[in-house]
Amino acid sequence: MNYLKIFSPATVANVSCGFDSLGFAVDAVGDEMTFTKTVQKGVKITNITGANLTYNVNENAASAVVQKILKEANANFGIELTIHKGFSPGSGLGSSAASAAGAAFGVNQFLENQFSELELTKFAMFGEEIACGSAIADNVAAAIYGGFILVRSYEPLEIIKLPVPDALRVVAIHPQIEVKTKDAREVLPEKIALKDAVTQWANVGGLISGLYTNNYHLISNSLVDIIVEPYRKKLIPFFDTVKSSAISAGALGAGISGSGPTIFALCKGDEIANEVYKSIKESYKNTGIKFEMFISKINPNGIKIV
Ligand code: HSE
């Protein structure tokens, strides 16, 4: 094989209560990447479209990951990379994660899939570190494993793939402002009150239990974030307006996608998702801030060859 084209999905991390530990992949939005095998060793980015990203191979999350894997595998070939961004960096939809995870998945195809999904997640986390300064796993694992994932442990890394109820849909609005993950992490407190921790971990348990038992009521009651959202929502204009319009239109819950500014709402079924979409759109149209929206199923498979 000398050439490969892949789709790497956008992802929603945290999912309200699960800061840095829950995430899911979406179907509707993602990046396309191509990989061409070269005789010359090393990595080169030949084209980037859809976003203004660096071609410096040590600073670009995707090429940095390719480089690391080729080195680790002691590969006797190189890779030329193109990246077409289907959504913006700084959106909260795992933009750097899609590129980093896609890079790990793609190179692995040229190495007879010698690395497991868990190992690919570790490589992709290196890309996250390059992009935002923290080796976070929730977005990259969701892109690599697909569906809904739990980062059960960081050291050692352990990823659990969770079931996804069939009718689960996500509606997302991306206000066209940029929030850098690094900045959105800096606004968070280092310490939290024990009673808040109790509320939060009980909700994580409730959400996971709801996913396993198809209990939408339990999912809805558990989509609560009392730790991170109060700090980060200040970075997102009209967050409360969007959240309440989503919930009043029937969403199970709504929250900040990753580090924002995208706001996601989970819904049961297409009909409610359409209503929620309309309601959010209506609530944002006079704010003076441009926005993009989508409705998506949860993507069960993650990155795929196209
Ligand atoms: N869990 C990470 C955060 C995701 O919320 O900072 C970053 O995209």
Side-chain angles (χ1 to χ4, degrees), residues 22-301:
L22 286 174
F24 64 80
V26 307
D27 238 356
V29 180
D31 291 350
E32 278 188 355
M33 302 172 76
T34 70
F35 301 77
T36 306
K37 193 171 173 178
T38 58
V39 174
Q40 191 176 351
K41 286 189 182 182
V43 57
K44 190 176 165 194
I45 305 172
T46 54
N47 197 18
I48 301 174
T49 56
N52 190 14
L53 295 173
T54 179
Y55 282 72
N56 180 322
V57 293
N58 300 314
E59 290 170 12
N60 179 291
S63 51
V65 169
V66 172
Q67 200 160 240
K68 193 169 171 71
I69 299 184
L70 289 176
K71 189 167 173 222
E72 177 87 15
N74 204 10
N76 63 357
F77 60 90
I79 292 285
E80 276 183 8
L81 200 58
T82 72
I83 305 166
H84 173 64
K85 300 295 301 176
F87 59 112
S88 330
S91 59
L93 287 163
S95 177
S96 55
S99 300
F105 175 95
V107 185
N108 201 32
Q109 304 296 311
F110 293 87
L111 295 165
E112 293 164 357
N113 285 309
Q114 65 173 266
F115 295 110
S116 66
E117 287 180 326
L118 188 68
E119 288 167 323
L120 294 181
T121 303
K122 287 182 194 164
F123 284 122
M125 285 166 72
F126 172 70
E128 286 287 66
E129 196 170 356
I130 300 270
C132 70
S134 306
I136 318 158
D138 47 7
N139 288 107
V140 288
I144 289 169
Y145 286 75
F148 224 114
I149 61 89
L150 167 71
V151 185
R152 213 280 308 157
S153 158
Y154 271 81
E155 283 180 18
L157 187 67
E158 184 183 345
I159 309 293
I160 313 280
K161 191 159 174 174
L162 304 169
V164 182
D166 275 352
L168 209 57
R169 301 287 180 274
V170 59
V171 180
I173 176 166
H174 174 204
Q176 303 290 290
I177 56 163
E178 187 179 352
V179 173
K180 291 202 162 67
T181 298
K182 193 169 180 294
D183 299 337
R185 293 180 84 80
E186 275 167 11
V187 300
L188 301 179
E190 281 196 3
K191 292 188 176 162
I192 57 170
L194 182 60
K195 71 174 181 30
D196 290 346
V198 171
T199 302
Q200 198 86 351
W201 63 53
N203 280 320
V204 173
L207 177 53
I208 291 176
S209 178
L211 293 173
Y212 272 98
T213 55
N214 285 300
N215 185 336
Y216 291 93
H217 185 65
L218 181 54
I219 292 171
S220 176
N221 285 346
S222 308
L223 282 170
V224 177
D225 172 12
I226 62 160
I227 291 176
V228 173
E229 187 178 292
Y231 291 92
R232 284 188 169 170
K233 72 178 187 177
K234 297 171 192 155
L235 306 173
I236 305 171
F238 304 100
F239 173 82
D240 287 330
T241 310
V242 169
K243 184 170 173 171
S244 57
S245 71
I247 288 168
S248 63
L252 299 167
I256 303 169
S257 174
S259 53
T262 292
I263 303 163
F264 78 96
L266 281 178
C267 305
K268 182 183 179 186
D270 292 318
E271 210 173 304
I272 294 174
N274 285 328
E275 289 305 313
V276 168
Y277 183 98
K278 279 192 259 169
S279 175
I280 294 178
K281 191 172 180 184
E282 192 60 29
S283 77
Y284 225 78
K285 72 174 191 207
N286 294 324
T287 60
I289 300 167
K290 288 198 180 124
F291 60 93
E292 286 176 355
M293 291 186 67
F294 65 80
I295 300 183
S296 178
K297 291 185 175 172
I298 312 303
N299 172 344
N301 303 316

